[in-house]
Amino acid sequence: MQRCLDLSNRVQGVPSTALLWLQILGRGVIKGTNLRGLDLDNANQLARDFAGAADILRSWGVTACDPDFSQQIRECFGDKGSPDFHAAFRLFDLAKRELEAWDFADVLHAYWKGLRLKQIEDSADVVIVDEAQDNSWIQLYIAQLLTMSGRVILVGDCRQAIFEWRGACPSVFANASATIKAARCDLPRNYRSGRQIVAVGNAIAEGQEWSLGAVSASARTTDGVVRILEGAMNPHDEAAQIAHEIQVAVDEGGAKFDDFAVLARTNAAVGQIECALVAA
């Protein structure tokens, strides 16, 4: 039974993925082995970089056990694949084997390998992949292996691709008409945003290599509002500006606090905004 590094309720003695990378790059003993870390300068920063690079490699089906491992790193990263990364990735793989543990990327790889070698029998007549622009190569390959008839439906928008940092490959989706002979059907109606917002989105996407499909058209009758804030604004200043505008609207415009909702991309941003609202 494999134990997962990425779960909050891990088995005692199994470190998180982040902690294991820190041990590998630091100077202490690496959990699960009798080996010491590589004692690299700036281990904290390198741990994040190396973990991200390892995830990208594995999203393309590459593992440290592959005989042409070094060549595959060069193909993915060029000369950026440093000897330190080679050594760290091999130690990461060794430590996981000794701990009998794996992470989420290993789970995907094992499932892909099992399907490819027919060690796992899973299939469907039709496979539908939503948000396909944010799937990695290995995820989309799994979708192909799962379908007995070869019928795969990819639903997505390359203009909304935001997960390339973890190996998502929107080009696989964008080129599906050539690579898997997929027919494309554009769905240009935008039911979410007002006309002005859609127009700005179209203008930004026009002529870009990542822009695929027909120009969007708003299905709503409202215009929506797009404002450009002057000058570069850090998260703290942006949160203060949001709080100020709400305060002015309540104090001078007769608005109620229940009239407002603030949407943020990350929980960290929510914390900044909450602090600014409390301060105001």
Side-chain angles (χ1 to χ4, degrees):
M1 166 125 3
Q2 295 290 99
R3 300 176 291 184
C4 188
L5 300 168
D6 290 329
L7 297 178
S8 57
N9 58 337
R10 291 183 301 277
V11 174
Q12 187 172 6
V14 175
S16 66
T17 302
L19 180 57
L20 185 56
W21 276 107
L22 279 173
Q23 291 176 352
I24 289 167
L25 302 181
R27 63 179 62 182
V29 175
I30 302 169
K31 196 77 174 179
T33 76
N34 293 320
L35 302 173
R36 301 192 70 83
L38 300 175
D39 193 14
L40 301 180
D41 294 334
N42 199 16
N44 286 335
Q45 179 60 48
L46 285 176
R48 291 192 293 271
D49 294 343
F50 283 13
D55 281 349
I56 290 174
L57 280 171
R58 290 182 294 164
S59 76
W60 285 94
V62 178
T63 72
C65 298
D66 294 341
D68 56 347
F69 169 69
S70 298
Q71 176 61 30
Q72 290 174 312
I73 289 180
R74 282 192 292 273
E75 289 176 0
C76 285
F77 300 121
D79 293 333
K80 295 179 182 178
S82 70
D84 287 335
F85 175 65
H86 289 219
F89 197 4
R90 292 187 190 281
L91 285 172
F92 182 61
D93 193 63
L94 172 64
K96 286 186 298 179
R97 288 201 307 272
E98 294 298 321
L99 290 165
E100 295 183 328
W102 57 4
D103 58 13
F104 290 154
D106 294 320
V107 175
L108 269 180
H109 189 275
Y111 189 50
W112 164 69
K113 184 178 179 181
L115 289 171
R116 184 166 54 90
L117 299 178
K118 302 189 183 305
Q119 296 167 343
I120 296 175
E121 294 185 5
D122 250 347
S123 62
D125 289 331
V126 180
V127 174
I128 301 175
V129 182
D130 196 16
E131 303 291 357
Q133 78 280 353
D134 285 325
N135 276 240
S136 66
W137 173 87
I138 204 168
Q139 287 173 303
L140 290 174
Y141 197 14
I142 285 171
Q144 283 186 269
L145 290 170
L146 282 172
T147 174
M148 296 181 296
S149 63
R151 298 171 66 192
V152 180
I153 298 174
L154 306 179
V155 182
D157 182 356
C158 279
R159 290 166 289 198
Q160 298 183 48
I162 56 176
F163 290 117
E164 286 191 88
W165 54 270
R166 65 153 177 80
C169 192
S171 62
V172 175
F173 170 62
N175 298 324
S177 57
T179 55
I180 61 173
K181 309 303 180 186
R184 194 177 83 206
C185 177
D186 289 341
L187 303 173
R189 302 291 283 175
N190 183 314
Y191 295 93
R192 176 184 297 169
S193 304
R195 290 175 294 192
Q196 186 176 347
I197 296 170
V198 172
V200 170
N202 284 331
I204 292 172
E206 184 178 1
Q208 300 293 334
E209 62 179 357
W210 41 261
S211 182
L212 175 71
V215 172
S216 295
S218 176
R220 303 185 63 158
T221 57
T222 55
D223 283 334
V225 177
V226 177
R227 283 194 301 130
I228 298 175
L229 301 179
E230 295 296 331
M233 186 170 287
N234 61 46
H236 180 271
D237 292 340
E238 185 178 23
Q241 177 72 16
I242 291 170
H244 173 72
E245 291 186 11
I246 293 175
Q247 187 174 28
V248 169
V250 171
D251 293 345
E252 301 177 11
K256 299 178 181 179
F257 288 117
D258 286 349
D259 294 334
F260 299 91
V262 182
L263 305 182
R265 178 68 187 153
T266 66
N267 287 336
V270 171
Q272 289 268 18
I273 294 166
E274 184 178 3
C275 288
L277 290 170
V278 170

